[in-house]
Each structure stands twice: as C-alpha cells, then as structure tokens.
Amino acid sequence: MFRIVVATDDTPASRKATSYALRLHESIPGSSLQVILAVGLNPTRRGGEGGIQLLDSLDRTNNLDIQHDATATENAIRQRLPTGTDFQVLVQEGEDAKIIEGFINQNPPDMLVLGSSNKTGLERWVLGSVSDHCIHHCRCPVTIIKI
C-alpha cells in the first residue's frame, strides 16, 4: 500500500499541500493518507534557581498559548478534511521540523508532502524552514508544494 503523509499547520502553503495530497491519494488506488499537525512546545524543565525559574514560568505560560492556538488550528484543519481522514496532532517539546522528522523516521511513508511559503534570505535564516529540514533529515521522498 502506498502511504502518503502530509504535514499541515493551516497556512495557505500547507492548505495547498493538503489539497495536493488528497488528490494524490484519490488517484492512487489502495493508497492511505495520514495528515499530521506538529505542535512544538518550549522546554520547561531548566531547573536551577532565581531567574531560570522565572523563565520556566514564562515558558509554561507561553506553552498554554501555543496549545490554545493549536486547538483552533486543529479544528480548522478537521473542517477541511473529508470525514474519516487519519489526522494526528503531535504535541511535543521542540521545533516543529524535528517533531515531523521524528514521526516520519519512526515509520517512513512512501511520500511526505509539505507546503513551502518561499521564505528567502534573512527570514529563512532566522526562522528556519520546516520543508528544508525535512528534505535533508526525513528518510523518505519529500514533495514540496510551493505557494
């Protein structure tokens, strides 16, 4: 069975990638499609005394905001998916790209589909690129859908 995984975060680029993956899945008889949402949380176990405890408290508060936003994103994605679509939310400490990498490399699919917002130069250097990370670290073919 041809297994397709699409990573989405409900941005215009990832919506386009999800649409592509859905069409691909429909065109390949017997294929399976899995949709994932990676939610990266800040680490909260720094330990220590003084200012570090304050940072832990700020990270925990920020993580609550991240989880709240992720719930809204999850609901928006679910509304766009056909009933019965395999959809998983991966909530872990760390960067989204590394969460996707870990999930993919545990059980590599036949294809990973991602969207790309075409970051360039300084923006890409500062913010990083999930698609670029996955191309280099995921042990499966990666298809990038440009916006």
Side-chain angles (χ1 to χ4, degrees):
M1 175 186 323
F2 192 82
R3 182 170 161 251
I4 304 162
V5 175
V6 60
T8 185
D9 60 4
D10 202 39
T11 59
S14 71
R15 278 186 241 138
K16 191 172 180 182
T18 301
S19 294
Y20 174 85
L22 285 165
R23 287 192 311 276
L24 183 64
H25 167 59
E26 291 169 357
S27 70
I28 301 174
S31 65
S32 67
L33 174 66
Q34 186 172 34
V35 180
I36 62 171
L37 168 63
V39 179
L41 301 176
N42 295 314
T44 58
R45 292 179 295 280
R46 287 193 178 95
E49 297 179 10
I52 300 298
Q53 289 176 346
L54 174 63
L55 291 177
D56 281 347
S57 177
L58 291 173
D59 283 338
R60 278 192 295 277
T61 301
N62 190 33
N63 283 345
L64 291 173
D65 290 340
I66 291 169
Q67 290 173 320
H68 180 267
D69 292 346
T71 299
T73 301
E74 175 185 355
N75 292 335
I77 293 167
R78 284 191 190 280
Q79 290 177 356
R80 289 186 179 86
L81 294 175
T83 303
T85 301
D86 182 0
F87 178 54
Q88 290 187 30
V89 181
L90 312 171
V91 180
Q92 299 174 20
E93 288 185 358
E95 301 170 23
D96 295 351
K98 291 185 179 189
I99 294 169
I100 294 168
E101 173 193 350
F103 178 84
I104 292 298
N105 289 342
Q106 282 181 340
N107 184 14
D110 296 293
M111 180 183 292
L112 170 62
V113 180
L114 298 163
S116 175
S117 60
N118 297 323
K119 291 179 196 150
T120 58
L122 183 61
E123 183 181 32
R124 183 179 212 149
W125 183 75
V126 171
L127 299 175
S129 168
V130 171
S131 58
D132 188 58
H133 180 90
C134 289
I135 286 170
H136 291 96
H137 296 93
C138 291
R139 294 187 300 257
C140 70
V142 179
T143 300
I144 305 297
I145 306 300
K146 298 271 189 176
I147 192 165

